[in-house]
Amino acid sequence: MEKVSYTRYVHKTGDDTTLSDNIVYDIVEDLHTRTLWIGIRAGLSIMEHDRPGHFINYKSRHASHYIPCDEINSLLRDNANHIWLGSIGGGVLMVDTQLPLFTSHSLNLVEDDVPTTAARAIFADDEKNLWLGIGSYGLARKDYKTGKLTFFSHIPEFSGISSVPTINTIVQRKNGEIWFGTYDGGILVYKKGEKVKVLRTENAPYLYSYCVLALYEDSRGNCWAGCRGGMGVSLADGGFYKFGVLPFENGGLADWYHVRDIVEDTDGSILVATGNCGIIHITGNVQHPETLKYQSYNFENGQLAVNTVLCLHVDEAGRLWAGTEGGRFVFV
């Protein structure tokens, strides 16, 4: 090699974030946590990949991170990615750093007099902030950068909103707006830097009722709103369409249906989960209502074992998953 550059990390007295000793015995990388483990005379120092030069130091005494021996003189990562530590006078230690499948995050909103940790709806926006429907108490946001959990009453855009009903569903529109479908409160529309708007049947004629249980923006930019009693669409061109009686091509009709979820299939058609009519399949272009056709999959026509379908999901293989009161079904 013609030219070599390097960065030197050394112990600095009084700085607990530097290497805890300058005599280094061994080094190994932990693939699970993307950290570098350094065995040293004073114990163990660990450096995170994203924070070069910042060390977490494990010692046998006088340290916030404890290890039951003084010197770590050998390190090994085995084929199972366990880390083995050989010590002088303390035997051998084995560490499994694989993270658990689930991580619990507590919801502490006691200061806002919210005596619940129930999350009825959850959504990550395009800035990676987490929006949470908190039981029947309203809404909170967890900031991605700071990790701070903020109740809606402390979010400036909600200053004109005295109370937020139960949040049933959350979606972010292509224009950046976040829509919250509520129980008997219509739709709350949040846009950063602007006062929250409220959509109800009076100013949003595509809504069937104040109880909005499903929101979905399709690939054409139309936002579907499923309510208790029916369904409508806020069209991308600024107009709207409100569904009436749905005549099914495979027999029967629906004049009152309790929408629980809405998704788009791989071919652009729309699938609607209902609490009383099974699954409704809609083809055609909602911007041209004359092209719309409907099919139903329910208990009566033998296509489903139950009529109550709670949720839908189309996976990467194009399979439709339906969660029902009777279990889970997969359609290919």
Side-chain angles (χ1 to χ4, degrees):
M1 294 184 292
E2 296 180 359
K3 185 177 181 180
V4 176
S5 62
Y6 62 88
T7 302
R8 186 183 182 193
Y9 301 113
V10 297
H11 171 70
K12 295 180 181 178
T13 303
D15 189 347
D16 292 335
T17 66
T18 63
L19 200 67
S20 63
D21 194 90
N22 286 332
I23 296 181
V24 176
Y25 295 129
D26 205 354
I27 301 173
V28 74
E29 182 182 9
D30 176 27
L31 300 182
H32 286 144
T33 59
R34 299 184 69 202
T35 53
L36 204 63
W37 294 44
I38 300 102
I40 54 180
R41 182 175 58 179
L44 176 71
S45 290
I46 298 178
M47 185 179 76
E48 298 177 7
H49 178 272
D50 297 328
R51 302 180 70 186
H54 184 279
F55 295 87
I56 299 173
N57 295 307
Y58 289 79
K59 301 178 183 181
S60 63
R61 53 189 177 274
H62 309 305
S64 56
H65 297 86
Y66 174 76
I67 194 170
C69 47
D70 292 321
E71 297 185 56
I72 303 297
N73 72 320
S74 59
L75 293 166
L76 169 71
R77 185 185 70 243
D78 65 19
N79 290 335
N81 289 325
H82 298 140
I83 304 294
W84 295 82
L85 297 80
S87 71
I88 296 178
V92 176
L93 306 174
M94 192 276 283
V95 183
D96 182 359
T97 61
Q98 186 169 10
L99 298 176
L101 292 176
F102 301 97
T103 302
S104 177
H105 298 271
S106 61
L107 303 178
N108 185 5
L109 293 167
V110 176
E111 293 180 0
D112 297 287
D113 197 27
V114 179
T116 183
T117 58
R120 300 180 70 96
I122 185 168
F123 180 79
D125 65 24
D126 58 10
E127 294 182 352
K128 299 182 181 180
N129 300 312
L130 208 60
W131 293 86
L132 304 163
I134 306 298
S136 58
Y137 290 85
L139 181 70
R141 180 182 64 195
K142 186 172 185 178
D143 187 273
Y144 172 74
K145 294 180 179 178
T146 65
K148 183 181 178 181
L149 186 67
T150 305
F151 199 51
F152 80 91
S153 57
H154 302 302
I155 299 174
E157 290 84 353
F158 283 85
S159 60
I161 306 296
S162 59
S163 65
V164 172
T166 298
I167 301 293
N168 295 318
T169 180
I170 309 171
V171 68
Q172 185 162 27
R173 304 290 307 277
K174 290 180 174 63
N175 63 4
E177 292 179 348
I178 301 176
W179 287 27
F180 303 92
T182 73
Y183 185 89
D184 285 342
I187 298 172
L188 302 178
V189 180
Y190 168 91
K191 191 169 186 179
K192 193 172 183 178
E194 299 180 7
K195 297 293 185 183
V196 168
K197 295 182 294 184
V198 181
L199 302 178
R200 297 192 176 99
T201 53
E202 296 84 359
N203 61 351
Y206 50 87
L207 293 181
Y208 256 81
S209 67
Y210 286 4
C211 184
V212 181
L213 294 115
L215 291 170
Y216 182 79
E217 186 174 50
D218 65 25
S219 56
R220 293 188 174 103
N222 307 305
C223 192
W224 297 63
C227 301
R228 184 176 51 206
M231 177 173 55
V233 184
S234 175
L235 299 174
D237 61 8
F240 73 92
Y241 182 72
K242 189 174 184 179
F243 291 87
V245 176
L246 306 182
F248 300 126
E249 291 197 318
N250 56 341
L253 57 83
D255 57 0
W256 194 100
Y257 43 97
H258 192 176
V259 178
R260 301 303 299 264
D261 199 8
I262 304 171
V263 298
E264 186 171 4
D265 206 350
T266 54
D267 61 0
S269 61
I270 298 296
L271 295 150
V272 182
T274 73
N276 62 317
C277 297
I279 297 173
I280 299 172
H281 187 202
I282 304 174
T283 57
N285 186 345
V286 71
Q287 293 178 335
H288 301 282
E290 69 278 4
T291 67
L292 297 175
K293 295 180 179 180
Y294 312 96
Q295 283 192 318
S296 177
Y297 306 94
N298 55 49
F299 177 77
E300 284 74 22
N301 62 23
Q303 299 297 308
L304 278 180
V306 294
N307 279 335
T308 303
V309 181
L310 304 175
C311 60
L312 297 171
H313 176 73
V314 178
D315 66 20
E316 292 185 353
R319 296 173 297 187
L320 172 65
W321 295 84
T324 76
E325 282 191 346
R328 183 182 65 182
F329 300 84
V330 61
F331 299 81
V332 181

